Amino acid sequence: MALVGQPGAGKSSVINKLIGKNLFKSGVYTDTTVKSQEASWGALRIVDLPGYDTKRFPFEDWCKQFSVEDYDLYLFVFAGKLHDADGKLFKKFKEWNQSRKHPYFIVRNKEDDIWDGERTLDDLKKEIVEDVYSKVGATDIKVYFTSCKTGIGIKELKDDIFASDLDDVKKDKIIAALKQKVFKSWLEKEENV
């Protein structure tokens, strides 16, 4: 599972809260994670990736450097407004999903910071979900609202992650790799003819 998202969104904090212990360093500073960190959670290998679309990690370089398309499950975490780079990542999720299925979870962290004196929390959440839909280009995606401070949404997210069928993901990944190998072998034969 790859933890991906904006710098300072609380990716490390969310996974630490999900697991119930501090696997990854978190902090109050933006860009606390400056290199990938790995840990295990049962049979699941978790990789906490640095935030993207920064001076240090421009989006396309970040994708290549961290081989982002190779993961089986994605936990996308944001706090605040979505950016153009988030839309790019959502497009990548769709692109990668064409060759093999992989679940991804979109998490709006810091739910306890969502506030506007003139609108209700439900109205604000609805607006956030609509923004996600516009960036994803689909309306069948669930958006999880979490707070590491209060624990809101953590249990639901954990339950849904455990309910995702990673066996099918692994099967799709193996089939895609075999197809690529067969195609490469066929190309090599064609070049030799």
Side-chain angles (χ1 to χ4, degrees), residues 1-4 9-26 33 37-41 44-49 73-75 77 107 109 146 148 154 157-158 161-162:
M1 173 169 61
L3 296 173
V4 297
K11 298 180 296 292
S12 303
S13 297
V14 167
I15 200 65
N16 289 344
K17 192 73 172 179
L18 278 169
I19 293 169
K21 63 181 180 176
N22 290 333
L23 281 184
F24 297 117
K25 181 181 176 186
S26 62
T33 304
Q37 305 177 76
E38 293 187 29
S40 294
W41 183 26
L44 189 62
R45 183 176 64 98
I46 304 166
V47 181
D48 184 7
L49 298 175
L73 184 147
Y74 300 90
L75 189 63
V77 180
V107 179
N109 194 26
T146 63
C148 295
I154 297 295
L157 177 60
K158 182 190 287 190
I161 289 170
F162 279 127

Side-chain angles (χ1 to χ4, degrees), residues 46-142:
I46 304 166
V47 181
D48 184 7
L49 298 175
Y52 54 80
D53 207 37
T54 62
K55 287 180 184 178
R56 182 178 287 177
F57 300 112
F59 183 75
E60 292 299 329
D61 294 346
W62 175 84
C63 286
K64 289 177 189 166
Q65 181 175 345
F66 297 105
S67 303
V68 179
E69 71 182 91
D70 292 340
Y71 294 94
D72 299 324
L73 184 147
Y74 300 90
L75 189 63
F76 171 81
V77 180
F78 72 107
K81 295 182 181 188
L82 292 171
H83 303 286
D84 289 340
D86 300 324
K88 288 180 192 176
L89 183 60
F90 294 150
K91 286 178 183 157
K92 291 282 189 187
F93 284 156
K94 282 183 155 184
E95 182 184 311
W96 301 330
N97 218 11
Q98 289 175 358
S99 61
R100 61 179 179 83
K101 303 292 181 225
H102 57 271
Y104 60 95
F105 298 87
I106 298 176
V107 179
R108 182 4 174 123
N109 194 26
K110 303 180 185 179
E111 186 262 4
D112 47 305
D113 287 345
I114 301 171
W115 181 84
D116 181 325
E118 297 181 7
R119 294 185 287 166
T120 68
L121 180 59
D122 287 340
D123 287 343
L124 293 169
K125 285 182 174 183
K126 183 178 178 185
E127 187 177 310
I128 291 167
V129 168
E130 288 170 2
D131 190 31
V132 169
Y133 289 168
S134 73
K135 294 281 193 280
V136 172
T139 58
D140 60 346
I141 306 290
K142 183 172 183 175

